[in-house]
PDB file of all heavy atoms in Angstrom:
ATOM      1  N   GLU K  35       3.839  -5.496 -17.761  1.00  0.00           N
ATOM      2  CA  GLU K  35       4.182  -4.224 -18.409  1.00  0.00           C
ATOM      3  C   GLU K  35       4.126  -4.380 -19.926  1.00  0.00           C
ATOM      4  O   GLU K  35       3.765  -3.441 -20.651  1.00  0.00           O
ATOM      5  CB  GLU K  35       5.562  -3.732 -17.948  1.00  0.00           C
ATOM      6  CG  GLU K  35       5.489  -3.140 -16.534  1.00  0.00           C
ATOM      7  CD  GLU K  35       6.828  -2.921 -15.842  1.00  0.00           C
ATOM      8  OE1 GLU K  35       7.875  -3.355 -16.370  1.00  0.00           O
ATOM      9  OE2 GLU K  35       6.818  -2.338 -14.759  1.00  0.00           O
ATOM     10  N   GLU K  42      -1.963   0.101 -24.287  1.00  0.00           N
ATOM     11  CA  GLU K  42      -1.819   1.499 -24.690  1.00  0.00           C
ATOM     12  C   GLU K  42      -1.978   1.607 -26.203  1.00  0.00           C
ATOM     13  O   GLU K  42      -2.668   2.488 -26.710  1.00  0.00           O
ATOM     14  CB  GLU K  42      -0.450   2.053 -24.269  1.00  0.00           C
ATOM     15  CG  GLU K  42      -0.304   2.337 -22.786  1.00  0.00           C
ATOM     16  CD  GLU K  42      -1.132   3.530 -22.321  1.00  0.00           C
ATOM     17  OE1 GLU K  42      -0.736   4.688 -22.552  1.00  0.00           O
ATOM     18  OE2 GLU K  42      -2.202   3.275 -21.728  1.00  0.00           O
ATOM     19  N   ASP K  55      -6.072  -9.087 -14.421  1.00  0.00           N
ATOM     20  CA  ASP K  55      -5.972  -8.661 -13.024  1.00  0.00           C
ATOM     21  C   ASP K  55      -4.523  -8.482 -12.591  1.00  0.00           C
ATOM     22  O   ASP K  55      -3.658  -9.286 -12.957  1.00  0.00           O
ATOM     23  CB  ASP K  55      -6.584  -9.742 -12.117  1.00  0.00           C
ATOM     24  CG  ASP K  55      -8.057  -9.482 -11.821  1.00  0.00           C
ATOM     25  OD1 ASP K  55      -8.462  -8.316 -11.850  1.00  0.00           O
ATOM     26  OD2 ASP K  55      -8.785 -10.466 -11.557  1.00  0.00           O
ATOM     27  N   ASP K  57      -2.300  -6.277  -9.045  1.00  0.00           N
ATOM     28  CA  ASP K  57      -2.314  -5.132  -8.133  1.00  0.00           C
ATOM     29  C   ASP K  57      -0.919  -4.837  -7.602  1.00  0.00           C
ATOM     30  O   ASP K  57      -0.320  -3.841  -7.984  1.00  0.00           O
ATOM     31  CB  ASP K  57      -3.324  -5.321  -6.994  1.00  0.00           C
ATOM     32  CG  ASP K  57      -3.762  -3.981  -6.389  1.00  0.00           C
ATOM     33  OD1 ASP K  57      -3.575  -2.950  -7.054  1.00  0.00           O
ATOM     34  OD2 ASP K  57      -4.285  -3.957  -5.263  1.00  0.00           O
ATOM     35  N   GLU K  60       4.388  -7.232  -7.296  1.00  0.00           N
ATOM     36  CA  GLU K  60       5.645  -7.723  -6.752  1.00  0.00           C
ATOM     37  C   GLU K  60       5.523  -9.136  -6.185  1.00  0.00           C
ATOM     38  O   GLU K  60       6.266  -9.530  -5.307  1.00  0.00           O
ATOM     39  CB  GLU K  60       6.283  -6.754  -5.762  1.00  0.00           C
ATOM     40  CG  GLU K  60       5.390  -6.162  -4.713  1.00  0.00           C
ATOM     41  CD  GLU K  60       6.160  -5.101  -3.914  1.00  0.00           C
ATOM     42  OE1 GLU K  60       6.192  -3.929  -4.344  1.00  0.00           O
ATOM     43  OE2 GLU K  60       6.704  -5.467  -2.875  1.00  0.00           O
ATOM     44  N   GLN K  88       5.997 -11.153 -11.833  1.00  0.00           N
ATOM     45  CA  GLN K  88       7.443 -11.202 -11.623  1.00  0.00           C
ATOM     46  C   GLN K  88       8.166 -11.968 -12.736  1.00  0.00           C
ATOM     47  O   GLN K  88       9.367 -12.206 -12.660  1.00  0.00           O
ATOM     48  CB  GLN K  88       7.753 -11.835 -10.269  1.00  0.00           C
ATOM     49  CG  GLN K  88       7.443 -10.921  -9.100  1.00  0.00           C
ATOM     50  CD  GLN K  88       8.336  -9.689  -9.072  1.00  0.00           C
ATOM     51  OE1 GLN K  88       9.533  -9.759  -8.850  1.00  0.00           O
ATOM     52  NE2 GLN K  88       7.736  -8.532  -9.333  1.00  0.00           N
ATOM     53  N   LYS K 114     -14.136 -11.828 -17.665  1.00  0.00           N
ATOM     54  CA  LYS K 114     -13.926 -11.147 -18.946  1.00  0.00           C
ATOM     55  C   LYS K 114     -12.472 -11.369 -19.363  1.00  0.00           C
ATOM     56  O   LYS K 114     -11.579 -11.279 -18.508  1.00  0.00           O
ATOM     57  CB  LYS K 114     -14.208  -9.650 -18.787  1.00  0.00           C
ATOM     58  CG  LYS K 114     -14.070  -8.847 -20.078  1.00  0.00           C
ATOM     59  CD  LYS K 114     -14.389  -7.386 -19.860  1.00  0.00           C
ATOM     60  CE  LYS K 114     -14.191  -6.623 -21.162  1.00  0.00           C
ATOM     61  NZ  LYS K 114     -14.492  -5.203 -21.021  1.00  0.00           N
ATOM     62  N   ASP K 124     -12.289 -17.814  -1.056  1.00  0.00           N
ATOM     63  CA  ASP K 124     -12.707 -17.125   0.172  1.00  0.00           C
ATOM     64  C   ASP K 124     -13.724 -17.974   0.933  1.00  0.00           C
ATOM     65  O   ASP K 124     -13.708 -18.025   2.164  1.00  0.00           O
ATOM     66  CB  ASP K 124     -13.321 -15.753  -0.143  1.00  0.00           C
ATOM     67  CG  ASP K 124     -12.276 -14.772  -0.672  1.00  0.00           C
ATOM     68  OD1 ASP K 124     -11.123 -14.830  -0.213  1.00  0.00           O
ATOM     69  OD2 ASP K 124     -12.617 -13.959  -1.550  1.00  0.00           O
ATOM     70  N   GLN K 128     -13.829 -19.309   4.702  1.00  0.00           N
ATOM     71  CA  GLN K 128     -14.983 -19.074   5.597  1.00  0.00           C
ATOM     72  C   GLN K 128     -15.424 -20.355   6.305  1.00  0.00           C
ATOM     73  O   GLN K 128     -15.959 -20.313   7.407  1.00  0.00           O
ATOM     74  CB  GLN K 128     -16.180 -18.540   4.791  1.00  0.00           C
ATOM     75  CG  GLN K 128     -16.101 -17.059   4.480  1.00  0.00           C
ATOM     76  CD  GLN K 128     -16.991 -16.667   3.313  1.00  0.00           C
ATOM     77  OE1 GLN K 128     -18.045 -17.258   3.085  1.00  0.00           O
ATOM     78  NE2 GLN K 128     -16.554 -15.685   2.550  1.00  0.00           N
ATOM     79  N   THR K 137     -11.396 -10.080  19.037  1.00  0.00           N
ATOM     80  CA  THR K 137     -10.485  -8.975  19.344  1.00  0.00           C
ATOM     81  C   THR K 137     -10.530  -8.656  20.827  1.00  0.00           C
ATOM     82  O   THR K 137     -11.612  -8.527  21.410  1.00  0.00           O
ATOM     83  CB  THR K 137     -10.887  -7.722  18.564  1.00  0.00           C
ATOM     84  OG1 THR K 137     -10.906  -8.052  17.182  1.00  0.00           O
ATOM     85  CG2 THR K 137      -9.908  -6.589  18.795  1.00  0.00           C
ATOM     86  N   ALA K 143       1.318 -12.827  24.261  1.00  0.00           N
ATOM     87  CA  ALA K 143       1.865 -13.627  23.153  1.00  0.00           C
ATOM     88  C   ALA K 143       2.864 -14.673  23.642  1.00  0.00           C
ATOM     89  O   ALA K 143       3.038 -15.710  23.020  1.00  0.00           O
ATOM     90  CB  ALA K 143       2.517 -12.699  22.134  1.00  0.00           C
ATOM     91  N   LYS K 184      -3.485 -23.941   4.106  1.00  0.00           N
ATOM     92  CA  LYS K 184      -4.107 -23.309   5.282  1.00  0.00           C
ATOM     93  C   LYS K 184      -4.250 -24.316   6.428  1.00  0.00           C
ATOM     94  O   LYS K 184      -3.954 -24.003   7.585  1.00  0.00           O
ATOM     95  CB  LYS K 184      -5.473 -22.730   4.884  1.00  0.00           C
ATOM     96  CG  LYS K 184      -6.151 -21.871   5.903  1.00  0.00           C
ATOM     97  CD  LYS K 184      -5.274 -20.786   6.519  1.00  0.00           C
ATOM     98  CE  LYS K 184      -4.572 -19.883   5.534  1.00  0.00           C
ATOM     99  NZ  LYS K 184      -3.557 -18.998   6.112  1.00  0.00           N
TER     100      LYS K 184
ATOM    101  N   SER X  83     -13.645  -6.797  13.956  1.00  0.00           N
ATOM    102  CA  SER X  83     -13.911  -6.467  15.364  1.00  0.00           C
ATOM    103  C   SER X  83     -15.317  -5.925  15.562  1.00  0.00           C
ATOM    104  O   SER X  83     -15.987  -6.262  16.535  1.00  0.00           O
ATOM    105  CB  SER X  83     -12.901  -5.429  15.870  1.00  0.00           C
ATOM    106  OG  SER X  83     -11.595  -5.916  15.674  1.00  0.00           O
ATOM    107  N   GLU X  86     -17.739  -8.792  15.226  1.00  0.00           N
ATOM    108  CA  GLU X  86     -17.757  -9.574  16.472  1.00  0.00           C
ATOM    109  C   GLU X  86     -18.558  -8.864  17.557  1.00  0.00           C
ATOM    110  O   GLU X  86     -19.249  -9.506  18.356  1.00  0.00           O
ATOM    111  CB  GLU X  86     -16.335  -9.726  17.032  1.00  0.00           C
ATOM    112  CG  GLU X  86     -15.470 -10.748  16.355  1.00  0.00           C
ATOM    113  CD  GLU X  86     -13.990 -10.507  16.659  1.00  0.00           C
ATOM    114  OE1 GLU X  86     -13.657  -9.823  17.657  1.00  0.00           O
ATOM    115  OE2 GLU X  86     -13.171 -11.000  15.888  1.00  0.00           O
ATOM    116  N   TYR X 203      -7.659 -10.973   7.726  1.00  0.00           N
ATOM    117  CA  TYR X 203      -8.572 -11.490   6.694  1.00  0.00           C
ATOM    118  C   TYR X 203      -9.308 -12.733   7.197  1.00  0.00           C
ATOM    119  O   TYR X 203     -10.512 -12.897   6.980  1.00  0.00           O
ATOM    120  CB  TYR X 203      -7.758 -11.793   5.429  1.00  0.00           C
ATOM    121  CG  TYR X 203      -8.331 -12.826   4.488  1.00  0.00           C
ATOM    122  CD1 TYR X 203      -9.364 -12.509   3.603  1.00  0.00           C
ATOM    123  CD2 TYR X 203      -7.826 -14.131   4.457  1.00  0.00           C
ATOM    124  CE1 TYR X 203      -9.870 -13.461   2.721  1.00  0.00           C
ATOM    125  CE2 TYR X 203      -8.328 -15.087   3.582  1.00  0.00           C
ATOM    126  CZ  TYR X 203      -9.352 -14.749   2.719  1.00  0.00           C
ATOM    127  OH  TYR X 203      -9.849 -15.688   1.858  1.00  0.00           O
ATOM    128  N   GLN X 204      -8.579 -13.590   7.890  1.00  0.00           N
ATOM    129  CA  GLN X 204      -9.229 -14.799   8.390  1.00  0.00           C
ATOM    130  C   GLN X 204     -10.263 -14.458   9.463  1.00  0.00           C
ATOM    131  O   GLN X 204     -11.352 -15.046   9.486  1.00  0.00           O
ATOM    132  CB  GLN X 204      -8.173 -15.786   8.900  1.00  0.00           C
ATOM    133  CG  GLN X 204      -7.428 -16.421   7.724  1.00  0.00           C
ATOM    134  CD  GLN X 204      -6.242 -17.288   8.096  1.00  0.00           C
ATOM    135  OE1 GLN X 204      -5.500 -17.703   7.221  1.00  0.00           O
ATOM    136  NE2 GLN X 204      -6.042 -17.562   9.368  1.00  0.00           N
ATOM    137  N   GLU X 207     -13.173 -13.265   7.452  1.00  0.00           N
ATOM    138  CA  GLU X 207     -13.922 -14.341   6.803  1.00  0.00           C
ATOM    139  C   GLU X 207     -14.779 -15.094   7.829  1.00  0.00           C
ATOM    140  O   GLU X 207     -15.877 -15.557   7.533  1.00  0.00           O
ATOM    141  CB  GLU X 207     -12.979 -15.307   6.075  1.00  0.00           C
ATOM    142  CG  GLU X 207     -12.263 -14.694   4.864  1.00  0.00           C
ATOM    143  CD  GLU X 207     -13.197 -14.245   3.738  1.00  0.00           C
ATOM    144  OE1 GLU X 207     -14.271 -14.850   3.555  1.00  0.00           O
ATOM    145  OE2 GLU X 207     -12.858 -13.260   3.048  1.00  0.00           O
ATOM    146  N   ARG X 220     -14.543  -6.447  -5.446  1.00  0.00           N
ATOM    147  CA  ARG X 220     -14.670  -5.818  -6.770  1.00  0.00           C
ATOM    148  C   ARG X 220     -15.770  -4.757  -6.772  1.00  0.00           C
ATOM    149  O   ARG X 220     -16.607  -4.695  -7.669  1.00  0.00           O
ATOM    150  CB  ARG X 220     -14.969  -6.864  -7.853  1.00  0.00           C
ATOM    151  CG  ARG X 220     -13.783  -7.768  -8.193  1.00  0.00           C
ATOM    152  CD  ARG X 220     -13.992  -8.411  -9.550  1.00  0.00           C
ATOM    153  NE  ARG X 220     -13.188  -9.594  -9.775  1.00  0.00           N
ATOM    154  CZ  ARG X 220     -11.956  -9.594 -10.298  1.00  0.00           C
ATOM    155  NH1 ARG X 220     -11.375  -8.477 -10.639  1.00  0.00           N
ATOM    156  NH2 ARG X 220     -11.316 -10.721 -10.475  1.00  0.00           N
ATOM    157  N   MET X 272      -0.821  -1.173  -7.807  1.00  0.00           N
ATOM    158  CA  MET X 272      -1.303  -0.398  -8.949  1.00  0.00           C
ATOM    159  C   MET X 272      -2.648   0.274  -8.688  1.00  0.00           C
ATOM    160  O   MET X 272      -2.945   1.335  -9.201  1.00  0.00           O
ATOM    161  CB  MET X 272      -1.468  -1.317 -10.171  1.00  0.00           C
ATOM    162  CG  MET X 272      -0.207  -1.983 -10.617  1.00  0.00           C
ATOM    163  SD  MET X 272       1.037  -0.811 -11.112  1.00  0.00           S
ATOM    164  CE  MET X 272       0.348  -0.225 -12.655  1.00  0.00           C
ATOM    165  N   GLY X 273      -3.486  -0.391  -7.891  1.00  0.00           N
ATOM    166  CA  GLY X 273      -4.838   0.140  -7.711  1.00  0.00           C
ATOM    167  C   GLY X 273      -4.964   1.181  -6.612  1.00  0.00           C
ATOM    168  O   GLY X 273      -6.037   1.784  -6.455  1.00  0.00           O
ATOM    169  N   LYS X 311       5.668   0.223 -11.985  1.00  0.00           N
ATOM    170  CA  LYS X 311       5.787   0.447 -10.544  1.00  0.00           C
ATOM    171  C   LYS X 311       7.224   0.227 -10.106  1.00  0.00           C
ATOM    172  O   LYS X 311       8.044  -0.270 -10.865  1.00  0.00           O
ATOM    173  CB  LYS X 311       4.829  -0.439  -9.774  1.00  0.00           C
ATOM    174  CG  LYS X 311       5.224  -1.868  -9.657  1.00  0.00           C
ATOM    175  CD  LYS X 311       4.558  -2.490  -8.442  1.00  0.00           C
ATOM    176  CE  LYS X 311       5.339  -2.171  -7.194  1.00  0.00           C
ATOM    177  NZ  LYS X 311       4.598  -2.428  -5.979  1.00  0.00           N
ATOM    178  N   GLN X 429      15.912 -11.465  -9.781  1.00  0.00           N
ATOM    179  CA  GLN X 429      14.766 -11.764 -10.637  1.00  0.00           C
ATOM    180  C   GLN X 429      14.344 -10.522 -11.433  1.00  0.00           C
ATOM    181  O   GLN X 429      14.001 -10.602 -12.598  1.00  0.00           O
ATOM    182  CB  GLN X 429      13.610 -12.231  -9.735  1.00  0.00           C
ATOM    183  CG  GLN X 429      12.278 -12.378 -10.415  1.00  0.00           C
ATOM    184  CD  GLN X 429      12.079 -13.788 -10.956  1.00  0.00           C
ATOM    185  OE1 GLN X 429      13.038 -14.552 -11.083  1.00  0.00           O
ATOM    186  NE2 GLN X 429      10.852 -14.126 -11.293  1.00  0.00           N
ATOM    187  N   THR X 543      -4.317   8.513 -23.944  1.00  0.00           N
ATOM    188  CA  THR X 543      -4.686   7.459 -23.005  1.00  0.00           C
ATOM    189  C   THR X 543      -4.667   7.993 -21.571  1.00  0.00           C
ATOM    190  O   THR X 543      -3.978   8.970 -21.261  1.00  0.00           O
ATOM    191  CB  THR X 543      -3.707   6.276 -23.074  1.00  0.00           C
ATOM    192  OG1 THR X 543      -2.424   6.722 -22.634  1.00  0.00           O
ATOM    193  CG2 THR X 543      -3.601   5.716 -24.480  1.00  0.00           C
ATOM    194  N   LEU X 595     -17.084  -4.718 -17.134  1.00  0.00           N
ATOM    195  CA  LEU X 595     -15.800  -4.608 -16.462  1.00  0.00           C
ATOM    196  C   LEU X 595     -14.939  -3.711 -17.348  1.00  0.00           C
ATOM    197  O   LEU X 595     -14.687  -4.043 -18.501  1.00  0.00           O
ATOM    198  CB  LEU X 595     -15.180  -5.997 -16.308  1.00  0.00           C
ATOM    199  CG  LEU X 595     -13.891  -6.054 -15.495  1.00  0.00           C
ATOM    200  CD1 LEU X 595     -13.917  -7.276 -14.592  1.00  0.00           C
ATOM    201  CD2 LEU X 595     -12.668  -6.101 -16.348  1.00  0.00           C
TER     202      LEU X 595
END
Side-chain angles (χ1 to χ4, degrees):
Chain K
E35 284 166 352
E42 286 290 282
D55 267 333
D57 203 19
E60 47 186 87
Q88 287 294 293
K114 182 179 178 180
D124 291 325
Q128 280 160 31
T137 304
K184 189 49 53 190
Chain X
S83 304
E86 282 161 20
Y203 155 79
Q204 287 173 189
E207 293 297 329
R220 288 200 200 271
M272 299 299 288
K311 76 156 278 165
Q429 171 91 344
T543 65
L595 186 139

